[in-house]
Each structure stands twice: as structure tokens, then as C-alpha cells.
Amino acid sequence: MRIQWTRFLAGCLTGAAVFSMSQFTAEASTNASAGVSSLLNECLVSDADTVKAEAGVSAAAAQTTICGYTNLGIAQVENHLNIREGAGEDTELVGALPVDAGCEILSQEGEWFKIESGKVTGYVKGEFLLTGEAAAARAAEVKSIMATSVTQTLNARVEPNTDCSIWTMIAEGESLPVIEDMGEWLKVDVDGEECYVASDFVEVSEQLPKAMTITEIRYGEGVSDVRVDMVQYACQFVGNRYVWGGTSLTNGVDCSGFTMRIYEKYGIYLPHSSSAQAGYGTRVNASEARPGDLFFYGSGGGINHVAMYIGNGQVVHASSARTGIKISNAFYRTPICVTRLIND
């Protein structure tokens, strides 16, 4: 019907153009123009209503999107929720959802949900997943405002201006919790330290934790059994709490407390201080790092954070009270040094 009106309108407009070029009376021309205007207004009103209706649908869809998910699921577990290749416990593991991690629910097969989160697509048991209003309510409680670097090297500064010193440098694609939006500058959390990044070089969004891939907790060939075991042991605590001065892998730990406890299990005893731990072992080039080696970060040459390398360019570390124990790119900050304590 709308196509017919459009054709009729085109015919009327053509007729109007002919009338204006001919020698018909002013009255005839006026009547023709009035008829075209009336029909044109009718069609424009109809189109406007359609656009408004479509815009309403788009707005409604946007309102139902939570932290980037249109059909949100949230992991309701104590540690992490296994993601499998198929809808069954006998299928291969492809990843894991940490506690309160978000996912897009794609479909349901009995008690299993097919989900997508981060770089992982697979199946999880529905009984361990919050959905609908419960998921929305939980997301409101646990979501974070994050600033994601969209430049190759993002300078994190000690003050919100370019005249001050650079505290550290953040890699492209890394996300930092936002503490305060100051307009041209954002105050962000980098491993528990407050610093500032320029708003023009980040993308701000509401986020939930995402799934970990299996490759994020795997290691290269030729790695000794002790290194393999160390990585598996450390990664099981991902999602647990960060507590300043803490030494409990389950109840709360800080960065050096985390590495201290991991190494303690393997008979290597380290002090509870990141700067002191850097004095142990042998220093190696970051490009030669092997799973189990320690990466140290800081500002101005001083060390204030430590993480353990797990292979594939990744580290596991107790980051901050806002993010807890997590996996990051080993170069999410510029490392000051890398040390090796296991000789194999």
C-alpha cells in the first residue's frame, strides 16, 4: 500500500512540475499545488510516525542492553564456572567464567545454556547462571566503569595534566577501573594506585568480568612439570579477593602475598614485598620469560607490583581491591624487570 502511495505521489509531483511550466490559470495551478501539498504532508506524517515507531523500538532495545549484553547471564559460583565445548559434562573444556562474570545467552538445550563471553563461546550449566531480572539486579551491584585504552601506548600520569611525570604506560586494549570522571581527564586505578589518563585516548563503558580462555592458562612446549603445575595452581584463584597486606589465597591477598603463597607451595620462600621479591632469583629478558617467572612493575624505577607469568603473553596477579585476582597481558604496563626463580 505504501509503495502505491509513493508511486501516486511521484505522479502528482511530476504533474505539478508540468503545471508550473504551462500556461494554465493561476487558480488551476494553485489547486494542483494544494493537492500535492496535502498529499505530501499526509505521506510525510505517515513516514514520520514510522520513523518514530522504529526509533522507539531501537530505544527500547538499547534500554534492555546491560553492560553490552542483550540477553545477560551472570555466573553465580564461588570460584569459576566451567565452559564446555558441548552441552554435556563429558565434552572438552574451552574456558571458565569467574564469579559475577557476564555472558550473552545464545540458546538453551535442556539444562545447558550456550553462551558467549569475551573470546569464549560454549556451554554452561544453567543452574549456575543468573538470568532475567536476577541477572540485571546483580549486574547493577557488581558492574564497573572501565576506561579502555584505544592508543598504542597510554600515559598514566601522577596528576591530571601533561606537565607532570608519567607514572606508567598502559598497553592498547587494556581496561582500567574509573574512579572519577574529571572531563578531559579520568582518575583511574592501576593495580591499586590512583593515576590519570586523558579522556581522548580511552573508551569508557560499563563492564562485567569476562570469561577466561583455556589458552590464557596454558603454557608453551618444553615447560617443566613444576611450571605447568604452578600455573594451574595459581589460576584456580582467579576471581578471589584482593586485600592489602593479605596473605590468604582464598580470603584475601595482595600482589606480593599472592606470589609469596604460590611459590611457598613449591618450597621457595619469598618476603611479603614486591620490591624485596625483585631481589631474588636471576633477571631475564621479558621476551625470554617462561611460565612461573615473575614480572615486576612500578614507577620511576621503583617497584610496587608483582605478577606471575603463565605463558602466551599473560600474567596472573592480585591486581587491586576493585578487580581482585585476575589475568592480564604481561605488558599491560611496562615491566621494570623479570626474574626467574626456578632453574630447569
Side-chain angles (χ1 to χ4, degrees), residues 32-197:
S33 298
V36 171
S37 298
S38 176
L39 179 57
L40 180 59
N41 287 335
E42 180 182 342
C43 291
L44 288 175
V45 169
S46 177
D47 284 347
D49 290 341
T50 301
V51 170
K52 287 180 181 178
E54 291 174 350
V57 171
S58 298
Q63 290 175 356
T64 60
T65 300
I66 302 172
C67 297
Y69 300 102
T70 55
N71 191 11
L72 175 66
I74 293 183
Q76 186 181 32
V77 287
E78 291 185 1
N79 193 343
H80 64 268
L81 175 59
N82 287 333
I83 306 174
R84 296 190 176 273
E85 188 177 36
E89 293 182 355
D90 57 343
T91 60
E92 292 291 325
L93 285 173
V94 294
L97 279 175
V99 58
D100 289 328
C103 65
E104 184 73 27
I105 299 174
L106 304 175
S107 61
Q108 183 176 0
E109 296 182 24
E111 62 180 351
W112 292 85
F113 286 89
K114 185 176 184 181
I115 62 98
E116 182 178 16
S117 179
K119 300 177 182 178
V120 184
T121 300
Y123 293 81
V124 298
K125 274 281 193 71
E127 62 184 292
F128 301 112
L129 209 60
L130 292 175
T131 61
E133 293 182 0
R138 185 59 181 165
E141 295 175 1
V142 302
K143 67 184 179 183
S144 300
I145 306 299
M146 306 293 286
T148 302
S149 172
V150 294
T151 187
Q152 188 171 9
T153 302
L154 175 67
N155 293 328
R157 297 182 177 273
V158 296
E159 298 291 341
N161 60 69
T162 56
D163 296 326
C164 67
S165 60
I166 297 172
W167 189 78
T168 191
M169 290 179 287
I170 307 299
E172 185 173 7
E174 288 297 318
S175 295
L176 306 170
V178 175
I179 299 171
E180 182 182 354
D181 185 345
M182 305 172 68
E184 293 183 358
W185 293 87
L186 297 173
K187 182 190 289 187
V188 296
D189 181 320
V190 182
D191 298 326
E193 299 286 343
E194 294 182 354
C195 53
Y196 302 85
V197 296

Side-chain angles (χ1 to χ4, degrees), residues 253-275:
V253 67
D254 61 13
C255 67
S256 59
F258 178 71
T259 51
M260 180 182 75
R261 289 302 186 211
I262 297 300
Y263 268 85
E264 183 179 82
K265 176 178 170 62
Y266 298 90
I268 299 173
Y269 300 93
L270 298 173
H272 191 188
S273 162
S274 58
S275 59

Side-chain angles (χ1 to χ4, degrees), residues 2-14:
R2 186 173 175 182
I3 294 174
Q4 292 175 343
W5 274 111
T6 303
R7 289 174 177 169
F8 180 63
L9 174 58
C12 288
L13 290 172
T14 302

